[in-house]
Amino acid sequence: MSMKIPFFNNKQTKESFHYTEDNTPDHIAIIMDGNGRWARNRGMPRVVGHKEGLSAVVKIVKVAVKCKVKVLTLYAFSTENWKRPNAEVDFILRLPKEFLTIYLPDLIANNVRIEAIGDIENLPTYTREAVQHAIDRTRDNDGLQMTIALNYGSRHEILNAMKKMIADVNEAKLSLDELDEQRFSRYLHTAGMTEPDLLIRTGGEKRLSNFLLWQLAYTEFWFTDVLWPDFSEKEFMHALEEYRQRKRRYGGI
Ligand code: IPE
Ligand code: IPE
Ligand code: MG
């Protein structure tokens, strides 16, 4: 439960670490679920699970860097999560600052670029400023892009995209004839990002919970019962192995 988890200073050499770069997904999205149950199973308050979940984030970012994943999108707080008790919401929304205060130097040293998707403007100042600071400090990095989905809801995102698009049509910046999927996707928070190749959901539930509904149209899904705080490098590599066996047809044969 300690926050002082060694991040990138591991002693594992590239050779001792079993992985292949062949057919590694470029973009992996993760629904990090099961923190509350992890804590409850130990007779502890739910927030302990959220805190412990940070160590899993550290582990997975590290292995994603090692595997040369290009984009890692992490679902940290949904637009529906506001329904939770205030104290839990408050605790979760303080975690980005806590995480970045400790790990931003490591992330910078490892060429990670931080991005955020979601309604960031309507987050508490301490959350918004910590995330914005990390985005600004890592803007020029060109290694792993770590996208944090915070106050993110896909329907909200699509509806907003539609409103902005209609405004552009009304102002004659866009004509309906030239509107296609590619142009529409530029109005989403994920504008300019590739779509996820692989979606991982921990915690046993088999649903999307309003995550990236547009972007996941042809994504491969991988589910595990493992609760997020227990999610390990081994599990992650297992997901990658299974992904490599999948045949993506996109409707073809
Ligand atoms: C996921 O864990 C983290 C967030 C939604 C913020 P949960 O808090 O949903 O944990 P469970 O699903 O209740 O175990
Ligand atoms: C999805 O988990 C959101 C995040 C992991 C941030 P939830 O725990 O909120 O999803 P539901 O409520 O089980 O669908
Ligand atoms: Mg949950």
Side-chain angles (χ1 to χ4, degrees):
M1 247 181 334
S2 158
M3 290 292 298
K4 295 208 169 14
I5 312 120
F7 192 5
F8 290 107
N9 59 341
N10 66 61
K11 293 182 188 70
Q12 230 159 4
T13 63
K14 202 172 176 183
E15 289 68 38
S16 72
F17 180 66
H18 170 74
Y19 80 96
T20 156
E21 283 168 26
D22 299 340
N23 205 17
T24 295
D26 283 338
H27 183 169
I28 302 177
I30 308 184
I31 302 176
M32 309 183 288
D33 197 21
N35 294 348
R37 281 165 285 164
W38 185 93
R40 198 186 56 204
N41 292 345
R42 286 162 178 76
M44 295 191 281
R46 291 177 55 83
V47 294
V48 176
H50 295 312
K51 180 130 179 170
E52 189 63 20
L54 284 191
S55 41
V57 172
V58 172
K59 271 185 276 177
I60 297 314
V61 172
K62 186 173 80 175
V63 62
V65 167
K66 212 154 44 168
C67 293
K68 300 200 164 55
V69 171
K70 295 195 174 87
V71 186
L72 184 68
T73 298
L74 302 175
Y75 204 6
F77 188 81
S78 78
T79 46
E80 287 69 34
N81 288 148
W82 292 105
K83 291 177 193 158
R84 297 184 180 202
N86 285 343
E88 182 173 343
V89 168
D90 184 71
F91 189 92
I92 295 170
L93 294 180
R94 287 179 191 279
L95 290 178
K97 182 168 181 178
E98 193 167 335
F99 173 82
L100 290 165
T101 302
I102 300 170
Y103 293 112
L104 188 58
D106 278 330
L107 294 165
I108 292 170
N110 281 274
N111 200 19
V112 174
R113 184 159 65 88
I114 312 279
E115 277 289 350
I117 55 172
D119 191 0
I120 306 298
E121 293 310 307
N122 288 314
L123 285 170
T125 316
Y126 47 83
T127 317
R128 200 180 58 233
E129 287 184 351
V131 172
Q132 192 55 54
H133 173 71
I135 293 171
D136 294 341
R137 286 294 311 278
T138 60
R139 199 177 292 285
D140 296 328
N141 292 353
D142 59 4
L144 174 74
Q145 177 183 325
M146 175 184 169
T147 311
I148 312 168
L150 260 181
N151 198 14
Y152 176 86
S154 192
R155 288 188 171 180
H156 180 72
E157 175 192 36
I158 292 171
L159 205 57
N160 268 333
M162 200 116 80
K163 286 181 188 171
K164 281 189 264 168
M165 195 193 72
I166 291 170
D168 280 355
V169 170
N170 288 342
E171 291 168 31
K173 288 182 191 156
L174 177 76
S175 87
L176 278 185
D177 297 336
E178 53 184 16
L179 178 62
D180 55 15
E181 290 181 8
Q182 222 189 339
R183 280 193 175 81
F184 179 72
S185 60
R186 286 186 207 149
Y187 290 90
L188 299 169
H189 293 151
T190 49
M193 276 184 221
T194 57
E195 288 171 2
D197 298 294
L198 174 66
L199 172 82
I200 295 174
R201 181 170 187 147
T202 64
E205 312 294 358
K206 292 178 182 64
R207 55 178 171 248
L208 291 180
S209 304
N210 203 12
F211 193 42
L212 301 172
L213 302 180
W214 172 278
Q215 297 87 341
L216 295 175
Y218 262 110
T219 301
E220 296 294 325
F221 289 6
W222 192 84
F223 297 102
T224 175
D225 289 338
V226 172
L227 305 173
W228 177 251
D230 288 331
F231 194 66
S232 63
E233 176 174 326
K234 188 163 157 262
E235 287 287 322
F236 184 83
M237 297 312 287
H238 186 189
L240 259 58
E241 280 310 320
E242 282 197 18
Y243 172 84
R244 292 188 181 106
Q245 312 302 321
R246 305 267 180 100
K247 185 128 185 58
R248 302 181 75 183
R249 281 184 287 274
Y250 300 98
I253 53 170

